[in-house]
Each structure stands twice: as C-alpha cells, then as structure tokens.
Amino acid sequence: MIEPLSLQTDAAALSKPNSWPAFWAAVLVDNMATTIAAVALPDLAVASFNRRVDPCAGSGEGASTCDQALKKVAFAGEIFRLLAGLISLISNQLAGIPA
C-alpha cells in the first residue's frame, strides 16, 4: 500500500522503512545514462559509425557526410532511449516503485 508523503520530523516517522533509497537509485542511474549520452557519446559514436573517422571534425562540420553520420547516431540513440524507458518501467515495478 502506498502511503502519502509525511512531512513529520519526529524519530518514529524517520525510522519507518520506505522506498526512497530505491527511488533515488533509479533517478541516479537514469540521469547518468542521459548525461553520458549527451556528453561523451556523440563524439565517440560519430567516429565509430564511420570506420573510426570523424567526418564532422575540422572543416567537415557542415558536410553531407557529417549530416549522415549524425543521423545514424541519432537513430541509434533513440532506439537505446526507447529500450531504456521500457527497462525502467519494468525494473521500477520490480523494485516496488510505482511508475
């Protein structure tokens, strides 16, 4: 049974078992994936999708090969974000966190 959030600060209320640690662990893991995907993945993915050559480096930023490489990376990223959302819905239920 889900109980409403209590703002009490007495020791009895603080000693109740709850699912906040599991919730914050899920939030942390979910946001780590987003941060890694936004910061590190684009440079690595563009090079890996193009035989270890980054077509967007230097003067190739507006080239059609750069645009094609970015489209490949964006499509793969969206597929993995969809999978991550589905896994999150399933795993939250297993951890006892309402979706």
Side-chain angles (χ1 to χ4, degrees):
M1 181 173 148
I2 299 173
E3 296 179 10
L5 180 63
S6 173
L7 299 176
Q8 296 175 355
T9 58
D10 61 337
L14 293 175
S15 64
K16 286 184 180 178
N18 58 38
S19 62
W20 283 110
F23 170 78
W24 287 113
V27 169
L28 176 68
V29 170
D30 188 43
N31 288 324
M32 278 179 42
T34 304
T35 303
I36 290 171
V39 174
L41 186 65
D43 285 338
L44 298 173
V46 168
S48 69
F49 274 95
N50 292 293
R51 300 183 186 112
R52 298 183 184 168
V53 175
D54 189 353
C56 300
S59 62
E61 187 174 332
S64 64
T65 55
C66 178
D67 290 338
Q68 290 173 354
L70 291 174
K71 286 179 185 176
K72 287 182 193 177
V73 170
F75 179 73
E78 290 303 318
I79 294 296
F80 282 106
R81 283 186 194 94
L82 175 67
L83 291 174
L86 293 174
I87 291 171
S88 177
L89 283 174
I90 294 168
S91 64
N92 283 348
Q93 296 301 318
L94 294 175
I97 301 171

